[in-house]
Amino acid sequence: MKDVYLFSGFLGSGKTSMLTDVLRQFKEKGLKPAVIMNELGKLPFDSQAVGEDVPLKEMLEGCICCSGAEKTEAQIQSLLADEDFDVLIIETTGAAHPVEALDAVYSPLFAEQLNIKGIVTVADSKLWLQKESLTPQVRTLFLEQIRHAHLLLANKMDLLNDSEQGKVVFEMQGLNPNAFILQTTNGRVPLHLLESLQSSTQKSSNEIQSVHVGKQLQLSSRLIEFNHSFTQEQFEDWVRSLPSTVYRIKGYVPIEGISRPMLFQYAYGLVQWLPEYINMPPKVVMIGENIQHIHVIGDE
């Protein structure tokens, strides 16, 4: 199983500086990293920082969290099939909501091969002090990136005085009390802090296989496998019974009277069923907050 880190943060927050330094640290430790880099422009400016010896997949002219989700899955599959690497880093665009980014990474096709260690958000501390000047949409995204982080870098601390530094940390801690907040300059983060993030995946079949989920990992995922079929109505009734902290479900559900599991997707309270013409494994991935103890359909 390969460890995966999602790097989140606004454009100019210091994500690329952090990526460059983290890649150096992984190499010095003897680990081989791979990178998926999501950029909104046509030219891969940031990819020059990765280095020729690091397997790299790029997402140009698109967001990892929207129409690019399928491309992201294809890129991860390609890396798993063709490249030898130990750890995967996915750098999202500044426009990516953490839930959307995590959703794009998870696919029932390879979820068992990946161990999402967590979302590392780089926040511009100076921008935090000026957040009221942002448009409501941009400010909301900025706050959401911080709220869902598992490790939070309060970056550019060298541009603030002591009083401002204290204000930033206090307010960010109030917004996300579960994350470890590191005050940084130039996005420097010790590798041991990344590696100490607990696994955010939980696998379950008829019986939930309990795993240690770190307290700091509010936003997490759960892989659910099925060993018998349901009617669509039964499955949708279960989905409607779930708490609002479940944001996404996607995967393949075995339906009575249908020979192959159907593709199922759930987001924002809406469900979608699509026929699948290949016999896919009957499993789904659930993404949300504090979902490890949710009752799974079929469990007694």
Side-chain angles (χ1 to χ4, degrees):
M1 186 174 278
K2 300 180 186 298
D3 288 343
V4 182
Y5 299 90
L6 271 77
F7 287 1
S8 172
F10 271 25
L11 183 68
S13 63
K15 279 198 316 264
T16 302
S17 297
M18 176 176 67
L19 173 64
T20 305
D21 189 57
V22 167
L23 289 176
R24 175 189 61 79
Q25 293 184 71
F26 273 127
K27 292 177 187 177
E28 288 178 355
K29 193 174 179 180
L31 297 174
K32 184 173 183 181
V35 174
I36 291 179
M37 187 171 285
N38 182 206
E39 301 184 38
L40 289 174
K42 294 184 179 182
L43 298 176
F45 293 109
D46 288 350
S47 64
Q48 299 169 16
V50 172
E52 295 181 0
D53 59 335
V54 176
L56 172 69
K57 298 288 183 181
E58 292 171 302
M59 294 276 297
L60 302 179
E61 290 190 278
C63 178
I64 194 171
C65 57
C66 305
S67 59
E70 292 80 10
K71 294 180 183 178
T72 306
E73 290 187 13
Q75 289 175 326
I76 293 175
Q77 281 187 291
S78 176
L79 281 173
L80 289 170
D82 303 333
E83 301 288 351
D84 177 28
F85 64 96
D86 301 306
V87 59
L88 175 61
I89 298 172
I90 299 176
E91 181 185 340
T92 66
T93 73
H97 188 289
V99 174
E100 320 283 348
L102 193 61
D103 178 57
V105 174
Y106 271 117
S107 166
L109 300 177
F110 46 71
E112 292 172 302
Q113 300 179 59
L114 301 179
N115 176 35
I116 306 294
K117 293 282 283 183
I119 297 171
V120 183
T121 296
V122 188
D124 184 331
S125 298
K126 198 169 185 64
L127 182 62
W128 174 268
L129 296 175
Q130 302 166 355
K131 61 184 180 297
E132 297 306 321
S133 66
L134 301 173
T135 65
Q137 184 178 14
V138 171
R139 183 169 64 249
T140 297
L141 179 58
F142 186 39
L143 296 177
E144 285 291 280
Q145 289 180 344
I146 292 170
R147 189 172 78 86
H148 286 294
H150 303 130
L151 174 62
L152 180 57
L153 272 62
N155 199 31
K156 302 186 181 180
M157 278 290 178
D158 55 316
L159 303 180
L160 308 181
N161 60 39
D162 291 347
S163 174
E164 290 172 330
Q165 291 178 7
K167 177 180 172 65
V168 167
V169 173
F170 178 78
E171 292 179 350
M172 286 185 179
Q173 194 78 73
L175 181 62
N176 186 347
N178 299 293
F180 182 90
I181 299 181
L182 179 68
Q183 299 180 52
T184 59
T185 300
N186 299 322
R188 296 294 176 92
V189 54
L191 194 59
H192 71 83
L193 278 182
L194 294 179
E195 295 181 322
S196 67
L197 290 172
Q198 300 294 331
S199 167
S200 63
T201 55
Q202 178 174 354
K203 178 181 175 181
S204 64
S205 52
N206 248 13
E207 293 184 359
I208 296 175
Q209 304 297 316
S210 120
V211 297
H212 178 68
V213 180
K215 179 183 175 184
Q216 74 273 31
L217 293 189
Q218 276 190 295
L219 182 63
S220 58
S221 68
R222 184 168 165 184
L223 179 64
I224 302 168
E225 298 179 341
F226 305 111
N227 58 15
H228 63 274
S229 301
F230 314 94
T231 66
Q232 285 182 250
E233 184 180 11
Q234 285 174 331
F235 197 81
E236 289 188 27
D237 283 346
W238 171 67
V239 170
R240 278 192 287 268
S241 75
L242 296 173
S244 60
T245 52
V246 175
Y247 300 136
R248 296 281 194 281
I249 303 175
K250 66 176 180 179
Y252 302 94
V253 179
I255 297 298
E256 291 179 2
I258 299 178
S259 59
R260 300 182 182 89
M262 291 187 70
L263 174 62
F264 176 83
Q265 298 190 66
Y266 166 84
Y268 301 111
L270 302 175
V271 300
Q272 180 184 38
W273 294 94
L274 293 171
E276 180 56 56
Y277 301 103
I278 301 174
N279 197 24
M280 303 301 291
K283 61 181 79 170
V284 298
V285 172
M286 177 188 292
I287 297 172
E289 294 184 56
N290 303 316
I291 60 174
Q292 56 266 34
H293 300 302
I294 287 176
H295 173 76
V296 174
I297 185 172
D299 286 352
E300 299 300 332

